[in-house]
């Protein structure tokens, strides 16, 4: 198990298989919405090469799948504090 915090532009994975769970900035407190949307676009490009990976992303963005560039295999509603979010699951 490896847990790290890093810029998505610096992400690399030694094996295309594994599990990625992330809770990226939403643009609610730390960033502007457009900055968060750019992170989602970058995630989609970066993670698209990981065909064998299971990817889980928590975000309140209703546009996440469009920005990420791929429809999730499953979605689940949840709350992060008082903020309504979705857990997007790709596998």
């Amino acid at each position: 198990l490896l847990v790290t915090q890093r810029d998505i532009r610096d992400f690399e994975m030694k094996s295309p298989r594994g599990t990625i769970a992330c809770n990226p900035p939403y643009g609610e407190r730390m960033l502007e919405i457009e900055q968060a949307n750019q992170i989602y676009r970058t995630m989609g490009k970066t993670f698209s090469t990981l065909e064998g990976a299971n990817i889980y992303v928590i975000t309140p963005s209703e546009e996440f799948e469009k920005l990420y560039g791929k429809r999730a295999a499953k979605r689940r509603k949840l709350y992060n504090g008082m903020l309504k979010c979705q857990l997007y699951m790709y596998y």
Side-chain angles (χ1 to χ4, degrees), residues 54-68:
N54 296 313
I55 301 166
Y56 302 89
V57 181
I58 299 171
T59 179
S61 174
E62 297 288 330
E63 300 290 316
F64 178 77
E65 291 169 306
K66 178 180 159 190
L67 296 164
Y68 186 81

Side-chain angles (χ1 to χ4, degrees), residues 9-36:
R9 293 170 294 192
D10 299 330
F11 179 84
E12 58 183 51
M13 200 164 160
K14 294 187 188 321
S15 169
R17 301 180 84 52
T19 300
I20 299 167
C22 52
N23 186 8
Y26 304 153
E28 297 287 326
R29 287 187 333 234
M30 298 173 64
L31 299 175
E32 296 294 325
I33 297 292
E34 187 49 44
Q35 289 173 303

Side-chain angles (χ1 to χ4, degrees), residues 28-86:
E28 297 287 326
R29 287 187 333 234
M30 298 173 64
L31 299 175
E32 296 294 325
I33 297 292
E34 187 49 44
Q35 289 173 303
N37 289 346
Q38 185 57 46
I39 290 171
Y40 304 151
R41 288 183 196 100
T42 303
M43 288 171 61
K45 291 175 188 167
T46 301
F47 295 160
S48 68
T49 61
L50 305 174
E51 291 298 322
N54 296 313
I55 301 166
Y56 302 89
V57 181
I58 299 171
T59 179
S61 174
E62 297 288 330
E63 300 290 316
F64 178 77
E65 291 169 306
K66 178 180 159 190
L67 296 164
Y68 186 81
K70 185 176 180 183
R71 192 175 164 114
K74 287 188 180 181
R75 290 173 42 174
R76 294 288 180 256
K77 293 179 190 174
L78 55 85
Y79 283 85
N80 187 357
M82 298 297 289
L83 190 60
K84 181 179 172 185
C85 293
Q86 294 279 334

